[in-house]
């Protein structure tokens, strides 16, 4: 069975999940909290992906592997209309949580093996 970071990576690279994705720059994990609870943590039996069904426990797992909650990815759009559209999307989706780990970066998959439990 896969370790937590590998499971998370597979989810992010899969198109099956609407509730979790890479942020624009691929440096952060973005999670739509309510949808994630329903789509991922709500699974039972063989469909279950993680050992927990509670968001708090999932967030503890993230923390245990060195993820820190962050505001958003630091890469912003240069143009004002795009920036304003992003800001509007963020305020409309304040249920979106962003997590960062220096060893969990879409552009550098080889760093994943350094993503260890504390």
């Amino acid at each position: 069975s896969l370790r937590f970071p590998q499971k998370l990576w597979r989810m992010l690279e899969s198109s099956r999940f609407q509730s979790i994705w890479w942020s624009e720059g691929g440096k952060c994990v973005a999670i739509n909290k309510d949808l994630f609870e329903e789509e991922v943590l709500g699974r039972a039996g063989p469909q279950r992906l993680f050992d927990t069904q509670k968001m708090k426990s999932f967030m503890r797992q993230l923390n245990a592997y060195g993820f820190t909650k962050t505001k958003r990815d630091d890469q912003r759009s240069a143009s004002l209309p795009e920036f304003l559209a992003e800001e509007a999307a963020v305020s409309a989706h304040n249920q979106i949580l962003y997590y960062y780990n220096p060893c969990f970066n879409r552009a550098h998959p080889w760093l994943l093996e350094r993503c260890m439990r504390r």
Side-chain angles (χ1 to χ4, degrees):
S1 76
L2 297 171
R3 291 184 322 121
F4 179 81
Q6 281 85 356
K7 283 184 192 177
L8 192 59
W9 188 282
R10 279 219 179 137
M11 286 181 72
L12 289 161
E13 290 296 308
S14 161
S15 57
R16 289 192 348 224
F17 302 97
Q18 304 303 304
S19 61
I20 186 169
W21 63 93
W22 289 106
S23 62
E24 299 87 31
K27 294 179 185 171
C28 294
V29 175
I31 302 169
N32 179 318
K33 185 179 170 289
D34 291 345
L35 188 56
F36 187 81
E37 286 177 307
E38 183 185 318
E39 181 184 52
V40 178
L41 301 178
R43 291 173 172 226
Q47 295 294 311
R48 202 164 179 184
L49 296 164
F50 297 101
D51 294 339
T52 184
Q53 292 180 296
K54 292 188 171 68
M55 193 66 192
K56 255 189 173 150
S57 300
F58 180 80
M59 288 159 57
R60 255 189 245 116
Q61 264 303 64
L62 285 167
N63 292 329
Y65 278 94
F67 285 84
T68 52
K69 195 171 177 188
T70 184
K71 291 280 187 241
R72 289 194 64 205
D73 198 336
D74 53 7
Q75 288 193 303
R76 300 276 185 149
S77 295
S79 76
L80 184 60
E82 283 180 32
F83 175 80
L84 293 173
E86 284 175 16
E87 288 304 304
V90 168
S91 60
H93 299 293
N94 59 2
Q95 285 293 330
I96 297 176
L97 308 171
Y98 292 90
Y99 282 88
Y100 170 78
N101 181 324
C103 296
F104 202 87
N105 185 317
R106 188 179 200 175
H108 307 293
W110 59 89
L111 290 175
L112 187 59
E113 56 193 60
R114 291 191 196 164
C115 201
M116 297 292 187
R117 193 175 177 90
R118 289 184 187 158

